[in-house]
Amino acid sequence: MFISRKAYTAAKTVYYPAFRAFLYVRSAIHCAIEVVSGSRYTRVPPPLLRYKVSESFDIRLFLIEGQRIAETIERALNDAGESLSRMNTVLDFGCGCGRTTRWLFENFPSTRFCGTDVDTHAINWCRQHLHGSFCVNRPAPPLDFGDGEFDCICAISVFTHLDEQQQLQWLTEFRRILKPGGLLLVSLHGAGAIDNLSAQDMMALRSQGILFKRSPKLGGLHPEFYHTTFQTKEYVLRIWPVIFEIVSYKELGLGYQDLVVLRRS
């Protein structure tokens, strides 16, 4: 059945607000159930904060995914000849409510971990319940860190939501706060995340190498600038070496996302 673009747009103006309202109701219900019944899991953020990082209220999935990502980070560093255990200071950029950071603390207690995010509520929760140092960052650089402060920076599921200009601004800022020889890990929406793109979007992606798609679906839940970005491996290998040395590019290196390891030369 054919639906005109005008009808489709009108439907979205009704559906998206309804979806968000239903989401807040579900979050409140989950929160009430967890308070009344208790939970065998300790130091777990409330449902809405969990949903923001995984689009799921499931506590077990939240913990499993965080642990898997932390293990993937260490394996990627090992492949680059490094280890979190030999690093002094590591930044989890876009840490959210600490889904990955909590496991990094647990696995590498001698390393100092910092987390930063634009989400004030998530950072406040981390400060109250997790070890380490947490701060709220502005939507654009600079960060409140000194030059060459970190041995490693992880940006997991962050560039997947930033447009090209924002990505390049943050890459430049990461270079500033990384020590010479320091490593940066970035996950991206690459070939494994494009199955649902339209033919028109695919043409734009192939032509430009990067595609930033806006959607009001989660408006109010995430910042206004936070949408969905797809990019090709060829684009990254062509543009990013101006700022960083690319150590490795692993397609599907983090589930359906690609994982890039870069070094400040």
Side-chain angles (χ1 to χ4, degrees), residues 9 177 250:
T9 301
I177 63 175
K250 188 172 183 180

Side-chain angles (χ1 to χ4, degrees), residues 2-12 198 200:
F2 174 76
I3 301 177
S4 70
R5 179 175 293 275
K6 183 177 180 180
Y8 177 67
T9 301
K12 287 196 297 184
S198 67
Q200 182 178 4

Side-chain angles (χ1 to χ4, degrees), residues 14-82:
V14 175
Y15 169 74
Y16 287 154
F19 172 85
R20 293 193 295 270
F22 182 56
L23 178 65
Y24 286 118
V25 171
R26 289 178 59 206
S27 173
I29 292 172
H30 276 271
C31 189
I33 292 173
E34 290 170 16
V35 170
V36 171
S37 63
S39 173
R40 62 191 179 92
Y41 300 105
T42 60
R43 294 184 298 120
V44 174
L48 192 58
L49 289 183
R50 299 198 303 268
Y51 188 91
K52 286 183 178 182
V53 299
S54 62
E55 295 198 13
S56 170
F57 294 119
D58 190 290
I59 295 177
R60 184 170 176 271
L61 177 64
F62 173 83
L63 295 172
I64 289 174
E65 281 295 294
Q67 185 176 32
R68 179 182 67 85
I69 294 170
E71 291 171 351
T72 300
I73 288 172
E74 175 64 4
R75 283 197 301 271
L77 290 174
N78 292 164
D79 291 343
E82 301 290 348

Side-chain angles (χ1 to χ4, degrees), residues 15 19 47 52 78 110 122 124 154 162 175 185 213-214 223:
Y15 169 74
F19 172 85
K52 286 183 178 182
N78 292 164
S110 62
N124 286 341
C154 303
L162 303 181
R175 178 177 174 80
L185 282 73
K213 284 185 64 65
R214 296 181 178 274

Side-chain angles (χ1 to χ4, degrees), residues 148-185:
E149 187 164 340
F150 294 98
D151 298 292
C152 179
I153 299 172
C154 303
I156 304 301
S157 294
V158 178
F159 279 40
T160 48
H161 303 287
L162 303 181
D163 66 25
E164 182 177 28
Q165 181 181 5
Q166 289 174 307
Q167 287 190 5
L168 296 177
Q169 287 176 340
W170 282 116
L171 285 173
T172 302
E173 175 67 356
F174 294 157
R175 178 177 174 80
R176 180 186 71 81
I177 63 175
L178 268 174
K179 297 176 181 177
L183 293 177
L184 168 64
L185 282 73

Side-chain angles (χ1 to χ4, degrees), residues 201-223:
D201 285 339
M202 284 298 300
M203 288 181 59
L205 179 61
R206 293 192 185 102
S207 173
Q208 302 166 17
I210 187 167
L211 175 69
F212 182 66
K213 284 185 64 65
R214 296 181 178 274
S215 171
K217 180 179 179 180
L218 296 178
L221 191 65
H222 293 299

